[in-house]
């Protein structure tokens, strides 16, 4: 595959520049990617080469980190976001999307952003990365997956208070989540007949209505309807018995009802290697499963493992979709 992965710089004051450099050092020559950002933000002494076009990254990546230059206002101050740089972060994301949509990059991998810094510095009107990407792509509904070699999980509801989950969990939301996940497993992960395990919302999956009725009223009817179309769905299942080794061997991805129900298992099983994947976009997008880590930025101690895994998954998914 002669097209590199695009990596957006994310928040310059966070750990993005240093984990980008460390990822190149680990992957040099084996996985071609290029960074979109300001080369002045990289750690001192990072081997890098400024490129004019993504195609140049293929030859350059074995010797140095290819950087598609995007100048930022002011200097990087590790640990302290600069309002003047907020618009640059946003523009880099849009530039990366444009390159992937044009076929000049195989997939998009995004370093973490600092949402508060973008809102305060540039009036960023989106809750986060994912919503902005969906806007740029013109897509109304996307799904967040956390994936590693140990487990793939998808939360149907994401960043809302636990008290609001029951009201937010509608049949339509769950059906869209299952359909998007099922289609992505076929198209982007190369699984011809995906097996999905679907959690219940309540303890013991409601225990026949004695501990809640969402399983009976919302979840089970959706699963029954989709099974009628041929989807391999198990559930609603009790979440406390879904994630041990023997259970995980029986499915390709787990659909969960809320944020922590999905993220606690994967972060327990494979904390450093989890990758955030956005399903339902017209292009591949992955991201490391962590934030900007402002508290350790510039200290040279940030762990690049999740970014390395995100780049690897971006390449694999991009190849699967193109192939």
């Amino acid at each position: 595959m002669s097209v590199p992965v695009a990596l957006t710089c994310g928040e310059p004051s966070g750990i993005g520049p240093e984990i980008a450099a460390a990822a190149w050092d680990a992957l040099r020559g084996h996985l071609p990617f290029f960074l979109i950002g300001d080369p002045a933000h990289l750690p001192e002494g990072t081997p890098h080469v400024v490129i004019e076009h993504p195609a140049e990254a293929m030859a350059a990546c074995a010797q140095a980190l290819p950087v598609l230059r995007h100048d930022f206002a002011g200097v990087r101050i590790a640990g302290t976001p600069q309002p003047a740089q907020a618009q640059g972060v946003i523009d880099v994301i849009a530039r990366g999307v444009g390159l992937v949509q044009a076929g000049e990059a195989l997939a998009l991998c995004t370093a973490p952003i600092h949402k508060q810094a973008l809102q305060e510095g540039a009036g960023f009107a989106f809750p986060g990365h994912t919503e902005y990407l969906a806007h740029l792509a013109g897509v109304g509904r996307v799904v967040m997956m956390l994936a590693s070699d140990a487990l793939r999980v998808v939360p149907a509801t994401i960043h809302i208070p636990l008290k609001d989950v029951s009201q937010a969990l509608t049949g339509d939301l769950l059906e869209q989540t299952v359909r998007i996940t099922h289609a992505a497993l076929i198209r982007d992960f190369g699984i011809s007949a995906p097996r999905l395990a679907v959690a219940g919302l309540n303890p013991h999956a409601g225990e026949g209505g004695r501990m809640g009725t969402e399983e009976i009223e919302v979840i089970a009817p959706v699963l029954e309807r989709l099974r009628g179309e041929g989807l391999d769905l198990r559930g609603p299942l009790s979440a406390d018995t879904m994630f041990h080794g023997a259970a995980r061997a029986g499915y390709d991805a787990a659909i969960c009802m809320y944020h922590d129900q999905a993220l606690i298992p994967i972060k327990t099983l494979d904390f450093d290697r989890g990758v955030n994947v956005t399903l339902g976009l017209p292009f591949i997008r992955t991201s490391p499963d962590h934030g900007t880590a402002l508290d350790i930025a510039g200290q040279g101690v940030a762990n690049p493992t999740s970014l390395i895994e995100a780049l690897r998954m971006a390449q694999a998914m991009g190849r699967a979709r193109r192939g």
Side-chain angles (χ1 to χ4, degrees), residues 206-243:
E207 207 167 89
R210 290 185 290 276
M211 294 186 184
T213 60
E214 286 85 358
E215 289 77 12
I216 296 171
E217 296 172 355
V218 179
I219 302 173
V222 170
L223 302 190
E224 189 63 27
R225 183 166 62 254
L226 294 177
R227 286 190 191 105
E229 298 180 13
L231 275 68
D232 186 347
L233 305 173
R234 297 97 191 269
L237 303 173
S238 180
D240 65 354
T241 59
M242 282 178 58
F243 299 107

Side-chain angles (χ1 to χ4, degrees), residues 151 153 243 258-270:
L151 178 66
V153 290
F243 299 107
Y258 57 93
H259 182 276
D260 284 11
Q261 191 184 59
L263 271 63
I264 287 173
I266 190 168
K267 292 196 176 201
T268 300
L269 289 166
D270 209 355

Side-chain angles (χ1 to χ4, degrees), residues 270-281:
D270 209 355
F271 185 81
D272 289 329
R273 298 183 182 277
V275 176
N276 187 331
V277 185
T278 304
L279 309 180
L281 291 170

